[in-house]
Amino acid sequence: MVLEKINHIGIAVRSLDEAIPFYRNSLGMSLEGIEEVAEQKVRVAFFQIGESKIELLEPTGDDSPIAGFLVKNGPGIHHIAYEVEDIEAAIEKLVQDGARMIDAVPRNGAHGARIAFIHPKSSNGVLTELCRSGHRIRV
Ligand code: CO
């Protein structure tokens, strides 16, 4: 498997409106956009930082996985996403190696990306996302 870079770090927040000013005004990062990902019941604000992004994740309902995370842990780092060259091949390799996948088949993420999560039990407690950016593959 070829990992190309850290695509983004996902941070769970209760409210984008409350969280954005710290990143935009105090850290001086540029807000690239806000997108709703209906499939994951989140609103995502993303900031570009070098070749990576910081993504703030706000739940859009009580049944959102981010809502569950916030109840359990409070706001904080939710996941790390690695850009992979071939997401299907990466999943296949992980399954062969005995890793537990949350997504055995890729699904839709923000920015038109294809994504798949590895269960944190298989990745040292860190929820890990594989990500194939949408700018090269359009589905
Ligand atoms: Co993500």
Side-chain angles (χ1 to χ4, degrees), residues 8 55 79 81 117 129:
H8 62 270
E55 294 195 340
H79 67 274
F117 281 99
E129 176 186 336

Side-chain angles (χ1 to χ4, degrees), residues 7 23 38 47 54 64 72-73 75 82 93-94 97 121:
N7 180 290
Y23 291 88
F47 299 85
I54 295 293
S64 162
K72 207 171 153 195
N73 307 289
Y82 298 105
K93 161 78 173 147
L94 283 156
D97 289 353
K121 284 215 161 85

Side-chain angles (χ1 to χ4, degrees), residues 81-94:
Y82 298 105
E83 180 82 23
V84 292
E85 194 179 290
D86 182 337
I87 194 166
E88 279 84 7
I91 292 170
E92 201 182 309
K93 161 78 173 147
L94 283 156

Side-chain angles (χ1 to χ4, degrees), residues 109-122:
H111 333 292
R114 303 290 291 160
I115 66 167
F117 281 99
I118 305 168
H119 196 282
K121 284 215 161 85
S122 293

Side-chain angles (χ1 to χ4, degrees), residues 33-47:
I34 295 178
E35 189 180 331
E36 183 158 346
V37 185
E39 227 174 293
Q40 294 179 63
K41 300 197 170 92
V42 288
R43 277 208 317 148
V44 183
F46 50 99
F47 299 85

